[in-house]
Amino acid sequence: MAKDSAIDVHHSAMESIVTSMKESGMKPALGAYLLRLLGDSQKLGDGDKEITAMMKLFG
């Protein structure tokens, strides 16, 4: 289950942002990149662990 500061929560929010940007005719380049990073964290099994996920991606 996702917690308040979990990658799962951020991924869900970023999906909404990217969708809204696309619907408004904007190009969500940075948002799409962040969405991919968040998705990669989930694939690594770190959807509920924000600090662990970031350390794996950027460490």
Side-chain angles (χ1 to χ4, degrees):
M1 169 97 26
K3 295 188 170 98
D4 289 340
S5 294
I7 294 298
D8 293 332
V9 173
H10 297 309
H11 186 269
S12 178
M14 188 56 66
E15 278 183 318
S16 296
I17 292 167
V18 168
T19 298
S20 294
M21 290 178 76
K22 287 179 179 177
E23 290 173 353
S24 297
M26 299 173 72
K27 295 180 181 178
L30 179 58
Y33 175 71
L34 291 172
L35 188 59
R36 184 172 56 82
L37 286 177
L38 293 166
D40 289 347
S41 292
Q42 288 177 315
K43 289 175 189 171
L44 291 172
D46 295 319
D48 63 338
K49 301 177 218 101
E50 185 167 346
I51 300 299
T52 302
M54 293 297 106
M55 294 301 285
K56 283 183 181 178
L57 285 176
F58 299 118

